[in-house]
């Protein structure tokens, strides 16, 4: 084939154009686009959710606690991250099923139900799996070393004196709102101030 200066020039222009566009893209990502890229990456890997403040305690005139809160843990899962890990870290979805079965035994749930939830919400980034977990249960779950699992602290209201003065103390809803009695009367003081947390 004969050498064609026109064809060689066209190839050279295309190569130079590709290099210029590549250098331009790198320059953009290193300057103006850097913050946008970081924010997009954070949105992919983190979710910000409200963390409820722990409700204040109620004491009688002798300093005896009548109402208090115990901190427990809520187990959540990032199904998309979990599946991605099991498909890329030298493990398989069969390994994931086996780990889900072990997890289900720890939190006393049906493994088929958990598998169905994870399958139905495979692209979700936050799925609540269990609530009111104590420290020992949390430790067993962490020992599984399953990717995509995390914990959110939650507070459970308890009344050490049982039914004594229950009609005066009242109660609180699951969302930490006073429903009646002193819990309702002093709700604005007891409720505290919620904050926010970013969870991977």
């Amino acid at each position: 084939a004969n050498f064609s200066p026109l064809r060689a020039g066209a190839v050279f222009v295309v190569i130079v154009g590709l290099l210029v566009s590549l250098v331009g893209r790198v320059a953009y990502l290193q300057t103006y686009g850097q913050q946008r890229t970081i924010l997009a990456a954070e949105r992919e890997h983190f979710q910000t959710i409200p963390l409820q403040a722990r409700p204040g305690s109620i004491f009688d005139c002798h300093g005896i606690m009548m109402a208090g809160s115990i901190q427990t843990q809520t187990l959540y899962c990032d199904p998309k991250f979990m599946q991605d890990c099991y498909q890329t870290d030298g493990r398989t979805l069969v390994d994931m099923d086996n780990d889900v079965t072990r997890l289900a035994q720890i939190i006393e749930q049906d493994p088929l139900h958990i598998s169905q939830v994870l399958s139905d919400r495979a692209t979700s980034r936050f799925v609540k799996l269990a609530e009111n977990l104590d420290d020992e249960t949390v430790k067993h779950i962490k020992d599984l070393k399953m990717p995509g699992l995390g914990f959110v602290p939650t507070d459970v209201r308890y009344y050490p004196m049982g039914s004594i003065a229950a009609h005066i103390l009242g109660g609180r809803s699951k969302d930490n709102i006073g429903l009646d009695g002193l819990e309702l009367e002093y709700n604005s003081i007891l409720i505290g101030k919620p904050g926010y947390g970013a969870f991977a």
Side-chain angles (χ1 to χ4, degrees):
N2 294 330
F3 176 76
S4 171
L6 187 60
R7 188 177 298 163
V11 170
F12 179 75
V13 168
V14 169
I15 292 173
V16 169
L18 290 173
L19 286 174
V20 167
S21 65
L22 184 61
V23 169
R25 180 68 178 161
V26 170
Y28 170 76
L29 291 175
Q30 290 293 323
T31 55
Y32 299 108
Q34 185 176 23
Q35 194 61 32
R36 175 185 269 177
T37 304
I38 290 172
L39 290 174
E42 286 181 351
R43 279 195 301 270
E44 282 291 316
H45 295 286
F46 293 91
Q47 180 173 8
T48 301
I49 62 171
L51 295 177
Q52 294 297 327
R54 180 179 292 189
S57 299
I58 299 175
F59 299 88
D60 70 3
C61 61
H62 301 291
I64 297 173
M65 181 182 287
M66 302 295 289
S69 297
I70 300 174
Q71 188 173 78
T72 62
Q73 299 289 330
T74 295
L75 173 66
Y76 73 89
C77 177
D78 180 339
K80 184 177 186 307
F81 180 74
M82 180 180 283
Q83 289 195 25
D84 289 347
C85 286
Y86 275 98
Q87 291 175 342
T88 59
D89 287 353
R91 292 181 281 188
T92 67
L93 292 180
V94 173
D95 296 325
M96 178 176 161
D97 287 340
N98 293 335
D99 286 345
V100 166
T101 299
R102 288 198 288 272
L103 173 65
Q105 291 171 348
I106 294 172
I107 61 177
E108 298 178 353
Q109 291 190 22
D110 179 10
L112 292 177
H113 170 70
I114 295 178
S115 295
Q116 188 64 50
V117 168
L118 297 179
S119 175
D120 290 345
R121 303 187 58 188
T123 59
S124 297
R125 305 311 304 257
F126 187 94
V127 175
K128 191 183 294 185
L129 295 180
E131 296 180 294
N132 300 330
L133 301 177
D134 58 30
D135 292 341
E136 185 177 352
T137 303
V138 169
K139 181 184 181 304
H140 289 314
I141 294 170
K142 287 181 176 178
D143 288 343
L144 291 176
K145 293 183 169 50
M146 288 181 68
L149 295 182
F151 299 91
V152 179
T154 53
D155 294 296
V156 177
R157 200 66 163 165
Y158 79 105
Y159 301 91
M161 306 301 288
S163 60
I164 296 176
H167 60 290
I168 297 172
L169 291 171
R172 301 189 80 76
S173 71
K174 193 174 180 181
D175 297 325
N176 188 27
I177 305 298
L179 298 174
D180 47 21
L182 294 175
E183 295 277 25
L184 175 60
E185 181 71 24
Y186 296 102
N187 184 63
S188 60
I189 298 171
L190 293 169
I191 196 169
K193 187 177 181 182
Y196 290 89
F199 295 90

